[in-house]
Amino acid sequence: MEGIKIGEKCSKYPIIQGGMGVGVSMHKLAGNVSKEGGIGIISIADIGYQEEDFEKNPMKANIRAIGKEIKKAREIAGKDKIIGVNIMVALQNYSEIVKECIRQKIDLIISGAGIPKELPQYVKGTITKIAPIVSSLRCCKLIVSYWIKKYNYVPDMIVIEGPEAGGHLGFKNEELKENSKPKLENITIEVVEYIKGVEKETGKNIPVIVAGGIWNSKDIKKFISLGASGVQMATRFVATEECDASIEFKKAYVNAKNEDIKIINSPVGMPGRALNNKFINKIEQEKNKIDRCYNCIKTCNVKNSPYCITKALINSVKGEVDNGLIFCGSNVGKIKEIVSVHNLMQELVCDL
């Protein structure tokens, strides 16, 4: 069993823990996943929400928190382990956030919720490696060809997120209907074949990572057999002792049933998968009053937005689950207990 190589470092196992914001995957979860042989990912979305000045100056608080969280994650994981961040392209201050992560010498930036066209210009000459999130072969070709043509930069990794993923989804609403969903297996085969050609032309190794609905070692083996170098998993890592979210947030996952899952329209301008709770029922009936804009998302129109996504995500991660948004993957109904990251990782790799 091979791990995933990022620059000069290599993980022990072919598992990346997906970035989950706001505040779900911070230093504690990411550090412990990396310590146990995977690759831990810190979500950058409103990462400074616990800083004292967040309400007054969220951007300043977020930039400060980036360094703090990366440092704490490294202290847990150890210097030789890989720590990454997930940065949404839709973030208002995307370039400043990317630059700060690079300044902190982060190993890996995974970027989605939009097309990270300009990302290579920030990392050239640094140790930081970059991976776009794609949802189709078309999207993958668009990003790879653009990066090579404009920056002469070949992606260091490709992350495919399928329609069963949690949070914001790179698919149209009609593509998420049961009979219309693209098959992740088919997308994987197409992207892997295309990337093989890019590797041959450029002489660069490009790991393809598959995400969205990955549950167990059987799933991991299946996608590796299709040519992937590893998988990204998020939902399963929420129900761990080390997850940075509140116990109430974790219990919402443990108590969830398949029928509780709902596709919603996010203020980000993309569909998202979440738990259907009192908050969602409320905003479907009437617009939630927005008292404060955190200027977090480029695509959010405050006047027309049904709710503030920052406030909704902060409420839920702090434990106000009836008054907040709880993103989840399609397998959330299978979670029955909260376990340690160590035990979960051992379960996932026992048959690999």
Side-chain angles (χ1 to χ4, degrees):
M1 173 177 50
E2 295 182 7
I4 301 167
K5 197 172 190 303
I6 303 294
E8 299 302 314
K9 299 179 182 178
C10 187
S11 65
K12 185 176 181 180
Y13 303 126
I15 298 172
I16 297 177
Q17 158 254 312
M20 297 169 284
V22 170
V24 180
S25 63
M26 302 271 271
H27 73 269
K28 194 176 178 185
L29 178 57
N32 278 283
V33 170
S34 292
K35 179 184 175 182
E36 294 297 334
I39 296 178
I41 304 294
I42 298 168
S43 171
I44 298 299
D46 284 315
I47 191 172
Y49 81 97
Q50 297 179 95
E51 296 289 304
E52 288 184 6
D53 59 342
F54 179 74
E55 289 291 328
K56 291 181 180 179
N57 194 333
M59 181 57 193
K60 187 177 178 181
N62 286 334
I63 292 292
R64 186 190 316 117
I66 288 170
K68 288 183 179 180
E69 290 295 317
I70 292 173
K71 182 181 178 182
K72 289 178 182 177
R74 284 185 173 136
E75 286 171 354
I76 294 170
K79 291 181 181 179
D80 61 327
K81 300 297 194 300
I82 301 168
I83 297 289
V85 292
N86 180 291
I87 310 177
M88 295 195 301
V89 179
L91 291 179
Q92 190 72 248
N93 300 98
Y94 180 76
S95 61
E96 292 93 331
I97 288 167
V98 168
K99 288 173 186 176
E100 180 60 21
C101 290
I102 294 166
R103 197 178 75 80
Q104 296 295 334
K105 294 183 169 57
I106 196 67
D107 297 304
L108 173 67
I109 293 174
I110 296 175
S111 195
I115 298 175
K117 284 188 174 181
E118 315 306 325
L119 190 53
Q121 69 178 313
Y122 304 116
V123 299
K124 276 198 167 185
T126 75
I127 66 161
T128 301
K129 305 304 178 186
I130 53 176
I133 296 175
V134 305
S135 57
S136 66
L137 174 61
R138 179 177 173 274
C139 179
C140 183
K141 283 182 174 180
L142 187 155
I143 295 171
V144 173
S145 60
Y146 186 88
W147 282 12
I148 292 174
K149 185 177 180 180
K150 184 165 185 179
Y151 300 106
N152 192 29
Y153 195 104
V154 181
D156 300 295
M157 172 192 287
I158 299 290
V159 178
I160 304 169
E161 276 195 6
E164 303 295 341
H168 293 114
L169 303 166
F171 297 88
K172 296 176 182 177
N173 276 296
E174 53 266 30
E175 292 177 302
L176 296 171
K177 292 176 181 176
E178 206 54 50
N179 295 328
S180 306
K181 285 181 190 174
K183 292 196 67 133
L184 183 55
E185 291 87 345
N186 294 341
I187 301 171
T188 301
I189 291 167
E190 291 174 348
V191 170
V192 165
E193 190 62 29
Y194 167 67
I195 291 298
K196 280 180 182 177
V198 176
E199 288 178 324
K200 192 173 181 180
E201 287 177 17
T202 64
K204 182 173 181 177
N205 180 55
I206 311 167
V208 174
I209 308 301
V210 181
I214 311 296
W215 177 255
N216 54 22
S217 61
K218 182 181 177 183
D219 294 332
I220 298 171
K221 283 194 288 187
K222 176 175 71 176
F223 285 101
I224 288 177
S225 74
L226 294 178
S229 297
V231 299
Q232 178 179 281
M233 305 173 69
T235 295
R236 291 209 70 180
F237 284 101
V238 172
T240 59
E241 294 160 5
E242 294 87 351
C243 176
D244 297 89
S246 65
I247 186 64
E248 291 83 5
F249 191 98
K250 298 174 191 181
K251 283 181 178 177
Y253 268 50
V254 172
N255 297 328
K257 299 179 179 65
N258 287 337
E259 54 265 34
D260 296 328
I261 302 170
K262 189 175 180 109
I263 301 297
I264 63 163
N265 291 314
S266 164
V268 174
M270 305 170 76
R273 179 173 280 107
L275 288 179
N276 190 17
N277 60 0
K278 289 181 181 179
F279 174 76
I280 289 178
N281 291 329
K282 181 182 176 183
I283 61 169
E284 285 181 341
Q285 300 302 317
E286 59 179 330
K287 182 180 175 182
N288 203 33
K289 186 180 178 183
I290 299 175
D291 300 314
R292 164 84 164 87
C293 177
Y294 295 89
N295 202 31
C296 61
I297 302 293
K298 298 173 188 173
T299 50
C300 179
N301 185 326
V302 177
K303 290 182 179 179
N304 299 328
S305 182
Y307 61 94
C308 171
I309 192 167
T310 286
K311 190 64 177 172
L313 291 170
I314 290 173
N315 284 347
S316 62
V317 79
K318 283 185 171 181
E320 296 178 49
V321 292
D322 288 336
N323 194 33
L325 183 60
I326 306 174
F327 279 138
C328 65
S330 63
N331 281 320
V332 68
K334 295 179 181 179
I335 292 176
K336 303 302 177 190
E337 61 179 338
I338 297 171
V339 299
S340 68
V341 167
H342 171 79
N343 287 348
L344 176 56
M345 287 293 290
Q346 290 306 304
E347 177 195 328
L348 293 173
V349 302
C350 66
D351 293 327
L352 295 185

